[in-house]
């Protein structure tokens, strides 16, 4: 069953991952493969992670003029041999740093000017 809110959008972002519980020494690098309003999938080594781990992801788009870095707080919902599916800690997509602008860019819309 799909628990994700909103359609997934393909993105290529580099990610630096830090576990906030369970394995404080865990750090990994990876790539965000897709993102939705409620979460993302990140390709990375998962040894040392578990479902419900809390993560801080520092992500940077690989393409585009905006080389801004975003910091996202997530919870791991599933693990597989390629990476982790995680949901954002907040239920409000507008409070996830840069997420709405990124989603708008993925569908070819300009950033919200409000």
């Amino acid at each position: 069953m799909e628990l994700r809110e909103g359609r997934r959008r393909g993105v290529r972002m580099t990610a630096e991952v830090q576990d906030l519980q369970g394995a404080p020494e865990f750090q990994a690098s990876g790539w965000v493969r897709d993102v939705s309003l409620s979460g993302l999938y990140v390709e990375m080594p998962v040894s040392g992670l578990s479902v419900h781990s809390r993560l801080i992801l520092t992500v940077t788009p690989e393409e585009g003029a905006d080389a801004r870095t975003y910091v996202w707080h997530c919870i791991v919902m599933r693990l597989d041999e390629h990476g982790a599916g995680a949901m954002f800690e907040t239920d409000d997509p507008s409070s996830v740093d840069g997420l709405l602008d990124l989603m708008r860019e993925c569908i070819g819309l300009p950033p919200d000017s409000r």
Side-chain angles (χ1 to χ4, degrees), residues 57-108:
L57 278 72
T58 305
V59 295
T60 306
E62 289 185 338
E63 299 175 359
D66 183 10
R68 182 171 173 222
T69 297
Y70 305 101
V71 177
W72 294 341
H73 293 254
C74 302
I75 301 168
V76 174
M77 300 308 292
R78 71 179 175 88
L79 295 167
D80 63 30
E81 64 273 9
H82 302 291
M87 71 177 191
F88 297 117
E89 280 192 335
T90 179
D91 290 336
D92 179 6
S94 67
S95 66
V96 178
D97 183 28
L99 177 64
L100 295 182
D101 284 340
L102 177 66
M103 298 299 289
R104 290 175 62 83
E105 183 180 310
C106 285
I107 60 173

Side-chain angles (χ1 to χ4, degrees), residues 1-72:
M1 177 170 52
E2 191 71 33
L3 300 176
R4 178 178 292 109
E5 191 175 308
R7 184 171 176 213
R8 286 183 277 185
R9 299 288 177 185
V11 296
R12 290 298 292 178
M13 303 176 82
T14 57
E16 296 298 320
V17 184
Q18 180 179 6
D19 188 4
L20 289 179
Q21 66 188 45
E25 70 283 352
F26 178 88
Q27 291 189 341
S29 295
W31 296 269
V32 176
R33 187 175 72 195
D34 60 52
V35 66
S36 73
L37 291 176
S38 60
L40 54 90
Y41 182 85
V42 60
E43 294 175 348
M44 66 178 192
V46 294
S47 178
L49 281 183
S50 61
V51 173
H52 300 129
S53 292
R54 292 178 58 237
L55 305 176
I56 293 178
L57 278 72
T58 305
V59 295
T60 306
E62 289 185 338
E63 299 175 359
D66 183 10
R68 182 171 173 222
T69 297
Y70 305 101
V71 177
W72 294 341

